[in-house]
Amino acid sequence: EQIEAKISTLIAHAFYIAPMPHAKFGTVSKLVIETGSAEINLDELREKMATILTKHELPHQIELIKTFDYTKNGKILRR
């Protein structure tokens, strides 16, 4: 939640941070972004995140999804 709060001003779309298994580190973070029909410049996003997140906070992977599934209450179904 802290990382999500830090990067919320950089991403104009729905997103979340999820854990991802990693052979060397156990788990690392993955940033998942709902894109809709928008184009997202991942290089630019990574550069901007690097200015506000520590090395250990930076997501190891970024996954783009066209449309998230939502609960009846409007929360993202994280899968």
Side-chain angles (χ1 to χ4, degrees):
E1 289 180 11
Q2 292 175 349
I3 295 172
E4 289 175 349
K6 286 183 178 182
I7 64 173
S8 64
T9 60
L10 303 177
I11 304 171
H13 307 278
F15 72 93
Y16 63 90
I17 302 285
M20 183 177 86
H22 189 277
K24 183 177 179 181
F25 302 117
T27 59
V28 293
S29 63
K30 172 173 69 170
L31 171 60
V32 185
I33 304 172
E34 180 181 50
T35 61
S37 60
E39 293 287 328
I40 296 179
N41 184 327
L42 294 181
D43 291 331
E44 181 179 315
L45 178 59
R46 284 186 181 99
E47 287 177 19
K48 289 180 179 180
M49 286 192 300
T51 66
I52 59 174
L53 298 175
T54 67
K55 179 182 175 183
H56 300 292
E57 291 175 324
L58 286 170
H60 189 77
Q61 179 181 337
I62 299 175
E63 181 178 347
L64 303 177
I65 295 179
K66 186 169 182 148
T67 307
F68 287 153
D69 291 325
Y70 289 87
T71 67
K72 292 179 184 178
N73 295 328
K75 294 187 177 190
I76 299 169
L77 285 173
R78 300 173 182 222
R79 297 174 190 224

